[in-house]
Amino acid sequence: MRLDPDSPVPLYHQLAEAIRYRIATGTLPAGAILPPLRRAAEEWGVNLHTVRHAYKALGAEGLVRTRPPHGTVVLASGGNGGGGSGSGGGGGGKARQRASDLEQFLVRVVREAGERFNLGPDELRRRLAGVREDGGSEAPALAHVVECSETQAADLAHQVAAAWTVRAEGWSLERPGAPPAGALVATYFHYNDVRVRWPDRFPHAHFVATRPDPDLSRRLATMTTERSARRGNAARATRVLVCERDAAMAANISADLSAVLPASRYQLVPHVDEAPGAVLATSAAASAPVLFAPRIWGALSPEQRAHPSAIEIRYTIAPKDLAALGADFGWSPRARG
């Protein structure tokens, strides 16, 4: 299958036409499964969007159907697969006429959507992606977001679902077994965990980078300003406890926090304890804010979380990685407002 990047015909149209011809001639019989998006993009030297666009065009014609996790399946073949005259020119001619009629129909749909409902092509495409043949709404895709604690897994899943039309659910590494079928998202920190625990899912997992929530600096500034005002202290670097059960983890988190809590304003002091929440009952908590790693925060009691010195270290998915999730999995953006 050769595509010409210098042709005035869009690459997605070239690709769709090549597949359409093979369906019409019976080379691709009913039930054949087209290559997954990533492999198809690599084989044909195009990007994921081009392959996705071609598959959607064929789907609109009723020639294929895409249903995760089964992939894109050919619904009907235009020939008998024998290569005779009955499966060649006639089938190809009908396919070309059908393609021409379809293009005219789509032009009318796009024009009417704009004139009657003020919908641009992108918004129209997004809405069509969620419509079933019976007129109902397509159930959103399922994604499991893996992290080491239930609290952080649920938080990251919420971030994914807030950005994309997908049913995202947290999956803690504390659970036995593997997440159910569906997209698998994990942080780079747990790259090896996913590789070792679920080797069959690993090639299809998508990894994202996370960073401490930039809003942490504002919350700390508010807390320390109020304390300084009450005590009449002069402006100086604020001592902040970073609580963890593991010394290496405490050091790693402190290094992460340095990106949002500059050393000129904050002195980060790792505090390692098998029961980190116990520090809240000591005099140290009265003189310094106490930050808890995500997995520790999830284990605190409601009373400990409500302590005036206690603050959760929340991590957020890097914006570029969050955007890449939708592009790679073909999710639609979540409507704002």
Side-chain angles (χ1 to χ4, degrees):
M1 189 177 297
R2 295 183 180 275
L3 305 180
D4 182 6
D6 297 322
S7 170
V9 179
L11 286 174
Y12 89 88
H13 192 88
Q14 295 182 46
L15 180 56
E17 180 63 22
I19 297 174
R20 190 182 294 113
Y21 177 77
R22 283 157 177 74
I23 293 175
T25 58
T27 305
L28 284 174
I33 299 177
L34 299 183
L37 293 180
R38 293 188 185 185
R39 180 154 63 85
E42 293 174 359
E43 290 180 358
W44 299 327
V46 296
N47 60 42
L48 287 170
H49 178 72
T50 297
V51 180
R52 186 179 296 113
H53 200 166
Y55 283 7
K56 283 187 176 181
L58 295 168
E61 298 176 46
L63 297 178
V64 302
R65 172 172 294 176
T66 300
R67 286 292 183 271
H70 307 293
T72 300
V73 182
V74 175
L75 296 181
S77 176
N80 56 21
S85 59
S87 64
K94 290 180 180 179
R96 284 190 290 274
Q97 181 59 50
R98 182 186 180 93
S100 176
D101 293 343
L102 174 66
E103 290 295 329
Q104 295 178 38
F105 167 73
L106 292 177
V107 168
R108 292 197 303 272
V109 169
V110 173
R111 183 189 304 119
E112 186 171 352
E115 293 175 351
R116 295 185 57 187
F117 304 103
N118 198 30
L119 292 180
D122 289 340
E123 177 64 10
L124 175 62
R125 184 182 305 115
R126 186 185 69 78
R127 298 210 175 195
L128 286 174
V131 175
R132 295 199 310 257
E133 292 178 3
D134 61 6
S137 296
E138 190 70 46
L142 175 63
H144 285 93
V145 184
V146 177
E147 250 300 337
C148 57
S149 72
E150 295 289 355
T151 302
Q152 192 170 13
D155 187 14
L156 295 182
H158 176 76
Q159 295 175 39
V160 172
W164 301 102
T165 306
V166 59
R167 183 161 61 92
E169 298 181 357
W171 184 275
S172 170
L173 289 171
E174 298 168 343
R175 302 186 193 181
L184 192 63
V185 180
T187 60
Y188 283 110
F189 188 83
H190 295 296
Y191 184 92
N192 281 329
D193 290 313
V194 175
R195 180 176 62 84
V196 173
R197 294 190 184 202
W198 312 306
D200 57 324
R201 304 280 294 277
F202 177 74
H204 310 291
H206 191 111
F207 294 91
V208 296
T210 58
R211 62 185 186 183
D213 186 358
D215 189 54
L216 177 60
S217 177
R218 182 193 62 78
R219 288 190 290 156
L220 264 179
T222 300
M223 177 185 291
T224 55
T225 298
E226 291 175 351
R227 289 189 175 192
S228 296
R230 288 197 302 267
R231 299 175 183 176
N233 293 339
R236 61 184 180 184
T238 300
R239 185 169 180 267
V240 179
L241 300 182
V242 180
C243 296
E244 242 289 349
R245 286 191 294 262
D246 179 79
M249 184 69 75
N252 288 338
I253 293 176
S254 296
D256 289 343
L257 291 174
S258 64
V260 294
L261 303 177
S264 60
R265 295 180 57 190
Y266 300 100
Q267 178 192 3
L268 300 176
V269 180
H271 177 85
V272 180
D273 194 321
E274 283 297 320
V279 71
L280 294 171
T282 68
S283 59
S287 60
V290 184
L291 305 186
F292 291 94
R295 63 175 181 169
I296 306 300
W297 182 263
L300 296 181
S301 68
E303 293 76 18
Q304 290 173 325
R305 293 188 191 184
H307 192 284
S309 293
I311 297 181
E312 176 189 10
I313 302 172
R314 182 171 179 263
Y315 277 74
T316 59
I317 300 174
K320 65 180 182 62
D321 286 6
L322 189 59
L325 281 177
D328 282 0
F329 287 117
W331 297 335
S332 299
R334 178 76 64 183
R336 301 298 181 185

